[in-house]
């Protein structure tokens, strides 16, 4: 079971990184911003994909992790100060996403049903977030991010429990005293640490002013954290019915994988065939194509774009023979799509109907 979970986590993390990292470099360009976005996306994606009462959900983890990562990249590249300000809302968002899945779960009961469960899931997301943000912490040289991640675990768990008290299946009537005490102590530590940092930065401030500034900052942090928890819970409750389509996508892909591969092989052969025809025509009838280059790569690109009915930037057919050859290529490409589509649908249609019938029986 552990091996399967690790394998699933690696697949989710790789897919999220494939989306978030290129987007980050295209948008922000900073290694630090990309590391923050990718770390947040990986952490939340893996957490959502592995947790929930419905079992592992890789597609949900990939999609949610990608959205969170993209949002984190945009926030990190904007005027927001990256570091301790970001991690607690992201931690709360992850817990809210996991809990939102359980709220909608009507199979096998609700797993998120007490303060202990809230603390367990918050700790899990905190560990994932700490692991995901390791590159960002190294790049920022700010180990306080680690402290911030785990500092808010009791508060996020307590808030998640208070928000969830009226959920069906919730068993605790009031929060445990240790959780409340842990929240109070960590928040008091946060105020003291922040006040000390503020007074070191501006020695002219007194103790009262430093504590007031630190308290105001902490209140804003607590409010934003609670807001992100509620927002994550509401977002996944809206998304979950729509994400089920992607959970079932793997079954359809397994059925269609061989026909898709057959189509790709045939289409590639058509491209290679006509690339040879185009090159041969130009070789024995120089000037049949305007601006034609030398070498098979030029003709392969031209054949590829011609098969898609798109103009190629440099090569243009000018002779009658070249235009007739391009027309034959377009007709053959379109015919290949139509014929193979009919053959594929007649072959896999019954299998797709069986999958759809089984899903309908599961929902009824």
């Amino acid at each position: 079971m552990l091996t399967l979970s690790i394998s699933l986590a690696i697949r989710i993390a790789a897919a999220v990184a494939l989306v978030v990292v290129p987007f980050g470099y295209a948008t922000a360009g900073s290694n630090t911003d990309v590391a923050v976005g990718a770390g947040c996306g990986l952490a939340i994606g893996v957490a959502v994909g592995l947790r929930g009462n419905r079992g592992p959900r890789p597609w949900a983890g990939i999609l949610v992790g990608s959205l969170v990562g993209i949002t984190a990249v945009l926030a990190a590249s904007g005027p927001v100060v990256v570091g301790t300000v970001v991690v607690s809302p992201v931690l709360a968002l992850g817990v809210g996403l996991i809990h939102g899945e359980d709220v909608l779960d009507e199979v096998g009961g609700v797993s998120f049903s007490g303060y202990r469960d809230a603390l367990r899931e918050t700790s899990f997301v905190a560990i994932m977030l700490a692991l995901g943000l390791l590159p960002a912490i190294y790049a920022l040289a700010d180990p306080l991010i680690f402290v911030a991640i785990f500092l808010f675990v009791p508060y996020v768990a307590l808030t998640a429990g208070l928000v969830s008290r009226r959920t069906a299946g919730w068993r605790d009537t009031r929060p445990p005293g240790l959780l409340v005490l842990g929240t109070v102590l960590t928040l008091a530590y946060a105020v003291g640490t922040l006040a000390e940092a503020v007074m070191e930065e501006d020695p002219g401030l007194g103790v009262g002013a430093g504590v007031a500034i630190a308290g105001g900052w902490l209140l804003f942090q607590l409010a934003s954290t609670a807001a992100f928890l509620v927002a994550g819970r509401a977002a996944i409750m809206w998304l979950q019915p729509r994400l089920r389509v992607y959970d079932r996508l793997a079954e359809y892909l397994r059925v269609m994988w061989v026909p898709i591969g057959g189509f790709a092989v045939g289409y590639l052969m058509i491209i290679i065939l006509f690339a040879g025809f185009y090159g041969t025509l130009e070789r024995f009838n120089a000037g049949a194509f305007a601006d034609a280059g030398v070498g098979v790569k030029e003709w392969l690109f031209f054949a590829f774009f011609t098969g898609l009915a798109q103009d190629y930037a440099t090569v243009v057919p000018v002779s009658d023979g070249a235009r007739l050859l391009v027309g034959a290529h377009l007709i053959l490409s379109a015919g290949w799509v139509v014929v193979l589509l009919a053959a594929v649908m007649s072959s896999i249609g019954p299998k797709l109907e069986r999958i759809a019938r089984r899903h309908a029986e599961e929902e009824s």
Side-chain angles (χ1 to χ4, degrees):
M1 184 64 180
L2 179 61
T3 304
L4 292 176
S5 297
I6 294 175
S7 175
L8 178 60
I10 292 174
R11 294 202 303 271
I12 294 173
V16 173
L18 186 64
V19 175
V20 176
V21 172
F23 178 86
Y25 280 113
T27 304
S30 166
N31 291 335
T32 302
D33 296 341
V34 174
V36 170
C40 293
L42 295 180
I44 302 304
V46 172
V48 171
L50 293 180
R51 313 303 282 187
N53 209 25
R54 291 184 181 272
R57 304 186 62 200
W59 284 106
I62 292 170
L63 291 170
V64 172
S66 299
L67 291 174
V68 171
I70 288 171
T71 304
V73 166
L74 295 175
S77 60
V80 178
V81 178
V82 178
T84 57
V85 178
V86 175
V87 293
S88 60
V90 174
L91 173 63
L93 178 66
V95 175
L97 290 167
I98 292 174
H99 180 228
E101 286 194 301
D102 287 331
V103 170
L104 291 183
D105 197 348
E106 299 176 355
V107 180
V110 179
S111 63
F112 202 92
S113 56
Y115 287 97
R116 182 176 297 179
D117 295 329
L119 181 59
R120 180 195 66 210
E121 299 300 339
T122 306
S123 301
F124 172 75
V125 177
I127 292 171
M128 297 305 302
L129 190 58
L131 293 175
L133 286 176
L134 274 176
I137 293 171
Y138 175 80
L140 290 169
D142 187 6
L144 289 178
I145 297 179
F146 263 129
V147 178
I149 292 173
F150 294 100
L151 182 68
F152 284 90
V153 166
Y155 169 73
V156 172
L158 180 62
T159 305
L162 294 175
V163 169
S164 310
R165 286 186 306 166
R166 300 185 183 278
T167 303
W170 189 262
R171 62 174 181 266
D172 291 339
T173 56
R174 56 184 179 180
L178 288 177
L179 183 60
V180 175
L181 179 61
T183 301
V184 172
L185 291 177
T186 53
L187 295 184
Y189 170 78
V191 170
T193 304
L194 289 170
E196 183 178 353
V198 168
M199 288 185 291
E200 286 181 359
E201 186 174 347
D202 189 353
L205 290 176
V207 176
V211 171
I213 294 174
W217 180 91
L218 185 62
L219 286 176
F220 170 77
Q221 188 81 344
L222 297 180
S224 62
T225 300
F228 270 79
L229 190 148
V230 175
R233 183 171 176 264
I236 201 64
M237 290 175 68
W238 184 86
L239 281 172
Q240 187 175 0
R242 294 152 182 86
L243 292 177
R244 288 174 187 169
V245 175
Y246 295 94
D247 288 334
R248 298 167 180 172
L249 188 60
E251 293 185 71
Y252 292 100
L253 287 177
R254 280 194 294 270
V255 173
M256 298 182 67
W257 183 248
V258 173
I260 290 173
F263 171 80
V265 170
Y267 205 80
L268 178 62
M269 292 306 300
I270 293 174
I271 292 173
I272 294 174
L273 176 67
F274 276 89
F277 288 164
Y278 295 139
T280 301
L281 179 61
E282 178 65 21
R283 171 68 175 78
F284 291 100
N285 184 17
F289 296 89
D291 300 325
V294 179
V296 68
K297 182 175 71 173
E298 187 80 16
W299 296 116
L300 284 173
F301 277 110
F302 177 68
F304 174 77
F305 282 96
T306 300
L308 297 176
Q310 300 292 322
D311 292 332
Y312 190 51
T314 57
V315 181
V316 179
V318 293
S319 71
D320 292 337
R323 293 192 182 99
L324 287 174
L325 193 57
V326 168
H329 186 184
L330 289 171
I331 292 172
L332 183 59
S333 296
W336 175 252
V337 173
V338 173
V339 171
L340 191 68
L341 179 62
V344 167
M345 292 310 298
S346 63
S347 172
I348 68 174
K351 298 178 182 178
L352 297 179
E353 290 179 2
R354 284 196 296 270
I355 294 174
R357 193 180 305 115
R358 186 175 70 252
H359 289 162
E361 291 174 355
E362 291 175 355
E363 292 181 353
S364 61

